[in-house]
Amino acid sequence: MTGISTNLIHNKTRTNDVIPPINVSTTFKYPENPNDYIKAIDGKLEDYFHNDLYYYSRVAHPNAELVEKALAKILDGYVVAYSSGLAAFFALLTHVNPKQLVIGQAYHGCHGIAKIFARNHGLTILDLRDSASFDRLQKGDLVHLETPVNPHGLNLDIEHYAKLAHEKGAFLLVDSTFAPPPLQYPFNHGADIIMHSATKYFGGHSDLLAGLLVVKDQEKFHNLVEDRIYLGTNIGNLEASLLYRSLKTFELRVLRQSENCEKLVKFLNDNKLKFKNLKQVFHGSIQFEKLDNQITKHAPTFSLTLISEEFARNFPSKLKYFVHATSLGGVESLIEWRAMSDASVDPTLLRVSVGVENVEDLIEDFRSALSE
Ligand SMILES: *Cc1c(COP(=O)(O)O)cnc(C)c1O
């Protein structure tokens, strides 16, 4: 099988530029003979894409298509790109239109969208952590599983939840944002749909917003693309160019970030007793229930709790190489006192997104800040 980097670096573009041109056009000239065009598209959606028949960017444009085709090779399915991760989740809920949604600990924005559906369409929201929720599931319902889960970076068992969902005819969506390939392949464990906030590891430079849905069958792909035209949530032209640029270094970045993270987590966990300000460290690599079968290398994001809310609030300012900011996945390390953006979490908790810096510098930074 062709490797991840090879697949992401070598793709057919429309020009002979080594790098596809940044394309900022919203609209494209029709062919000389409009009849050719009308005949070609003839209501068949795939023809919007594969015959260079771009005509309006909300429908399709060259760099979005390039991103989708490149990512399809490494994500083992059909990829639909969106203007953000939440736009992808919104599109999925709109498409599946479940009566009930099972959702547990997950990105706060996904809960926000679920609440809008509850308000507008009477969606029933059930808790993933309550086994009774699965007894109530019906055909066509949706189970949303985020793993590794925000903000802790701990793993949940995809196979377990796939079985519970499928027994009732429900779909399993896995938000795999924290562990893109080659860390984890949710389809291999029973997921029906995969979601990514491409803002994070695929983007990797904290300079774009994008989201992805990955599905296994072509019909679902077409339906999602058709919905997207009317939801108006296609990825933007410039963002698609930035994202395609990012994909070329994707594998290098993610592997280095994962490795750095595991080393930093090990240092902190091994020295937990030495640092009196450090309470607990959370990460898949030190998780009690190992899921080695599901995740081969761990998410480059972890959390820690500190001795007090005040110490946690001030901790980011003691670090040199971790920017105090929300988000994750970029080449630069970030740390966030998580209560800043998600009021539901422990106020002593900090979430850390580990970048590609020299790991000794990152470890030294934490050693010195925790020793203060
Ligand atoms: C960031 C994030 C999202 C939302 O993605 P956006 O691109 O910010 O809209 C969804 N799920 C997870 C796990 C995330 O980290």
Side-chain angles (χ1 to χ4, degrees), residues 82-89 106-110 144 146-150 175-178 195-200 208-212 327-328 338 351:
Y82 293 90
S83 55
S84 72
L86 285 189
F89 184 62
Y107 185 71
H108 60 92
C110 295
H144 173 80
E146 183 178 307
T147 185
V149 65
N150 222 323
D175 182 343
S176 192
T177 297
F178 274 41
M195 168 189 152
H196 282 277
S197 166
T199 308
K200 314 295 168 53
L208 66 92
L209 284 174
L212 308 171
S327 199
L328 56 104
R338 192 63 183 154
R351 188 183 73 183

Side-chain angles (χ1 to χ4, degrees), residues 52-299:
D52 272 0
L53 291 172
Y54 304 108
Y55 76 103
Y56 191 57
S57 288
R58 200 185 67 241
V59 177
H61 56 84
N63 285 328
E65 187 179 326
L66 196 53
V67 160
E68 288 174 341
K69 283 182 177 167
L71 283 170
K73 294 193 277 180
I74 70 155
L75 288 166
D76 302 331
Y78 296 92
V79 175
V80 189
Y82 293 90
S83 55
S84 72
L86 285 189
F89 184 62
F90 181 82
L92 185 81
L93 270 189
T94 304
H95 174 70
V96 175
N97 198 22
K99 291 202 169 49
Q100 308 189 97
L101 170 72
V102 178
I103 183 168
Q105 186 179 337
Y107 185 71
H108 60 92
C110 295
H111 281 279
I113 294 178
K115 281 189 196 139
I116 294 175
F117 274 72
R119 183 188 74 203
N120 288 358
H121 314 296
L123 174 75
T124 303
I125 300 171
L126 302 169
D127 192 339
L128 184 94
R129 291 155 291 196
D130 178 1
S131 61
S133 300
F134 294 91
D135 298 334
R136 292 178 56 183
L137 272 187
Q138 312 239 336
K139 194 163 184 295
D141 285 343
L142 184 66
V143 176
H144 173 80
L145 180 70
E146 183 178 307
T147 185
V149 65
N150 222 323
H152 298 96
L154 295 171
N155 300 304
L156 296 165
D157 188 345
I158 299 173
E159 255 158 51
H160 170 71
Y161 291 102
K163 189 160 163 280
L164 290 177
H166 294 157
E167 270 169 6
K168 298 295 175 88
F171 300 106
L172 179 69
L173 164 68
V174 172
D175 182 343
S176 192
T177 297
F178 274 41
L183 311 188
Q184 151 175 302
Y185 291 91
F187 282 151
N188 294 349
H189 305 281
D192 299 298
I193 307 136
I194 300 171
M195 168 189 152
H196 282 277
S197 166
T199 308
K200 314 295 168 53
Y201 291 102
F202 288 113
H205 297 71
S206 308
D207 60 2
L208 66 92
L209 284 174
L212 308 171
L213 288 179
V214 195
V215 293
K216 284 190 283 192
D217 71 281
Q218 199 174 15
E219 194 186 330
K220 207 174 234 111
F221 167 71
H222 285 165
N223 292 339
L224 286 169
V225 170
E226 199 160 35
D227 280 1
R228 188 185 61 184
I229 295 170
Y230 306 112
L231 292 173
T233 48
N234 194 10
I235 184 173
N237 279 286
L238 185 59
E239 286 74 9
S241 306
L242 289 170
L243 181 53
Y244 188 65
R245 168 230 41 193
S246 295
L247 295 185
K248 303 187 178 205
T249 55
F250 165 75
E251 188 181 23
L252 287 175
R253 288 185 280 103
V254 166
L255 290 177
R256 164 83 168 224
Q257 287 173 273
S258 169
E259 204 177 292
N260 278 357
C261 184
E262 206 163 320
K263 285 182 185 158
L264 179 57
V265 164
K266 183 171 183 338
F267 166 78
L268 292 172
N269 200 47
D270 288 352
N271 292 286
K272 225 163 41 182
L273 299 177
K274 244 174 39 202
F275 297 119
K276 65 178 191 333
N277 296 318
L278 176 59
K279 263 192 337 206
Q280 236 183 316
V281 186
F282 304 92
H283 190 235
S285 64
I286 52 171
Q287 180 173 346
F288 178 69
E289 186 204 0
K290 290 266 178 260
L291 287 166
D292 294 345
N293 204 9
Q294 174 176 306
I295 188 150
T296 48
K297 290 180 165 54
H298 291 281

